[in-house]
Amino acid sequence: MKKLLLLIILLNFINAGHCQNARTGQLFSLAQKYQAYFPIGAAVSPRVLKSADSILIINQYNSLVAENHMKPMWIQPKENVFKFENADFVAAFAKRHNMKLRGHTLVWHNQTPDWFFKEGDQPVSKEVLKERMHKHIQTVVSHFKDRVYAWDVVNEAISEDKNEYLRTSSPWYKIMGEDYIELAFQYAHEADPNAILFYNDFNTWQPEKRDKIIRLVKSLKEKGVPVGGIGMQGHWKIGSPTKEQIKTAIDMFAALGVTVQITELDVSVYQSDTDKQVEMTPELEQQQADYYRMCFDVFREKKDKISSVTFWGAADNYTWLNNFPVRGRKNYPLLFDTKLQPKKAFNLIMKFEASPNPPPKEGI
Ligand code: HAH
């Protein structure tokens, strides 16, 4: 009995991520299917890579990003104490399996330790913060040089408030003023001139926010700041944003002469913070699948403007949305279910006539 159980567990483990056609036995891989379009990524942690999920990840994705372990809080928890072990594990896994690697993130108002902004119990001076930023970016970007091909240099610097341009509540802004953004890009470029440098944000499809991102990236480019891409996070929900909103944002961003990446895709099954927890029903799975199909129809149509699509997680067994925006409310936002089996969304986004492989895009 025990042996049988072990065998079943083992078979399940081996089977995870092999999406197989029952009739032909053919294996389907998302990354392979999208080879002529863009790399397909997942946000991961060393823990996930050491679990049964690793097989799913190897089979389905060809790009990785550390969900947390390259953030300042993890990588430089104390001044001059750099902890690369976890991020290195993710980088080594990517290399071993011939996957691309994105870097996330260098300068952000969240998940950045307080010491950056303080000297004793006083706020730090602009000059010292500038030095700390320089040191951080120089050290981290150099460490991953030749491994990370694209960095989210600045994350979420635009305000959500429609009467405000930049997020003035960010300690970076408070202490350094607007300059912090261009300095971050300059420092990153100095450390790795080959990396593609991204401005990354959420709600990029909302017209007011979209236009502020355009204003920012345009002004950076005019000043000769080496911004190479815009990351559309893509924390979306069933039905929103609409097809038109996604298309328009991609077109307007690409018109600035930068590449666009979908950097943190997931599709929540909830419409608002006050929705009660639900189980995943076939109806809900179908609605989510239809929404995902629309998104990928757009991404394929815009493949010349999009150089990567990354999911913010590998499967519904673990997602940050289980604790955001409501702590402990289970969500099911990804393509594989809690048992790592493909959902309807997976089947639908795999259902298209793939165009023949063109040569890979230059530099990406
Ligand atoms: C993203 N922010 C971050 O870029 C990522 O690093 C994190 O792991 C999850 C989501 C999205 C976000 C937020 O953190 C707070 C409010 C709105 C959106």
Side-chain angles (χ1 to χ4, degrees):
M1 190 60 198
K2 222 172 169 185
K3 275 190 185 153
L4 185 66
L5 204 68
L6 274 174
L7 186 68
I8 292 171
I9 292 171
L10 189 70
L11 283 175
N12 258 329
F13 184 82
I14 291 168
N15 200 33
H18 284 284
C19 300
Q20 208 158 13
N21 181 315
R23 200 167 42 79
T24 61
Q26 195 185 349
L27 295 178
F28 292 125
S29 153
L30 200 55
Q32 265 170 36
K33 181 88 190 191
Y34 277 84
Q35 208 165 21
Y37 294 83
F38 31 72
I40 304 276
V44 297
S45 64
R47 192 181 54 77
V48 164
L49 294 178
K50 287 172 192 164
S51 75
D53 293 34
S54 64
I55 302 190
L56 173 83
I57 290 164
I58 294 163
N59 284 328
Q60 295 296 334
Y61 302 97
N62 56 358
S63 177
L64 293 183
V65 59
E67 178 175 357
N68 286 305
H69 292 100
M70 286 192 193
K71 291 173 180 170
M73 194 175 119
W74 287 89
I75 229 160
Q76 198 186 176
K78 296 199 180 97
E79 187 160 19
N80 292 323
V81 178
F82 287 88
K83 297 212 159 165
F84 287 117
E85 200 184 318
N86 284 304
D88 282 346
F89 187 91
V90 174
F93 188 98
K95 193 169 182 184
R96 194 156 66 241
H97 298 288
N98 208 6
M99 295 161 141
K100 287 178 162 288
L101 184 64
R102 301 191 81 259
H104 175 85
T105 178
L106 298 169
V107 173
W108 189 24
H109 61 280
N110 269 335
Q111 292 183 267
T112 301
D114 239 20
W115 68 257
F116 266 95
F117 310 111
K118 294 250 166 73
E119 261 188 319
D121 50 10
Q122 295 298 307
V124 75
S125 67
K126 178 172 176 169
E127 277 316 302
V128 174
L129 184 56
K130 195 171 149 182
E131 263 319 297
R132 287 177 181 173
M133 179 202 265
H134 192 189
K135 174 87 192 275
H136 182 76
I137 294 179
Q138 176 66 40
T139 309
V140 175
V141 174
S142 307
H143 183 87
F144 293 104
K145 201 173 169 172
D146 304 325
R147 287 189 283 168
V148 165
Y149 80 101
W151 271 104
D152 291 334
V153 176
V154 176
N155 201 32
E156 303 174 355
I158 301 284
S159 178
E160 282 293 283
D161 179 345
K162 67 173 180 324
N163 300 315
E164 187 176 86
Y165 170 42
L166 297 174
R167 190 186 290 274
T168 56
S169 59
S170 162
W172 292 109
Y173 183 93
K174 277 195 183 145
I175 299 166
M176 290 177 67
E178 254 193 85
D179 293 357
Y180 87 88
I181 300 173
E182 58 190 82
L183 284 170
F185 279 95
Q186 262 146 16
Y187 296 154
H189 184 67
E190 197 180 285
D192 184 357
N194 295 321
I196 310 168
L197 305 181
F198 280 78
Y199 175 73
N200 190 51
D201 214 328
F202 63 92
N203 287 346
T204 52
W205 55 271
Q206 281 178 359
E208 296 87 14
K209 196 150 176 202
R210 180 196 68 207
D211 291 349
K212 284 188 269 186
I213 294 171
I214 291 169
R215 171 174 161 193
L216 174 65
V217 171
K218 214 172 177 173
S219 80
L220 291 173
K221 288 194 69 113
E222 276 163 12
K223 289 186 226 168
V225 178
V227 52
I230 296 178
M232 298 174 63
Q233 289 185 6
H235 297 294
W236 296 338
K237 59 188 180 192
I238 297 170
S240 174
T242 65
K243 188 175 190 166
E244 282 316 309
Q245 288 166 330
I246 300 171
K247 279 188 177 186
T248 308
I250 294 170
D251 287 341
M252 290 177 81
F253 293 153
L256 298 168
V258 295
T259 187
V260 174
Q261 298 196 343
I262 311 298
T263 52
E264 306 184 18
L265 186 59
D266 45 24
V267 175
S268 171
V269 301
Y270 299 106
Q271 291 297 317
S272 91
D273 298 4
T274 54
D275 284 0
K276 291 256 168 330
Q277 173 161 316
V278 296
E279 297 293 319
M280 197 55 169
T281 60
E283 293 73 31
L284 200 52
E285 204 185 313
Q286 185 62 50
Q287 287 172 25
Q288 185 186 46
D290 290 336
Y291 186 75
Y292 260 121
R293 174 176 32 200
M294 179 281 283
C295 294
F296 276 78
D297 284 350
V298 172
F299 300 159
R300 287 197 308 277
E301 182 191 322
K302 305 280 178 202
K303 74 171 166 58
D304 295 339
K305 299 174 179 176
I306 294 179
S307 51
S308 168
V309 175
T310 296
F311 290 87
W312 210 238
D316 288 347
N317 58 346
Y318 167 73
T319 157
W320 76 295
L321 291 177
N322 288 341
N323 286 307
F324 184 87
V326 182
R327 187 156 279 279
R329 184 179 68 176
K330 179 84 194 96
N331 212 325
Y332 314 86
L334 299 162
L335 298 180
F336 300 92
D337 68 17
T338 54
K339 299 202 168 80
L340 311 186
Q341 297 306 306
K343 292 158 67 180
K344 287 183 180 144
F346 173 86
N347 298 329
L348 285 191
I349 71 168
M350 291 287 281
K351 225 169 158 180
F352 65 94
E353 224 26 78
S355 64
N357 290 3
K361 285 173 205 166
E362 187 112 353
I364 293 172

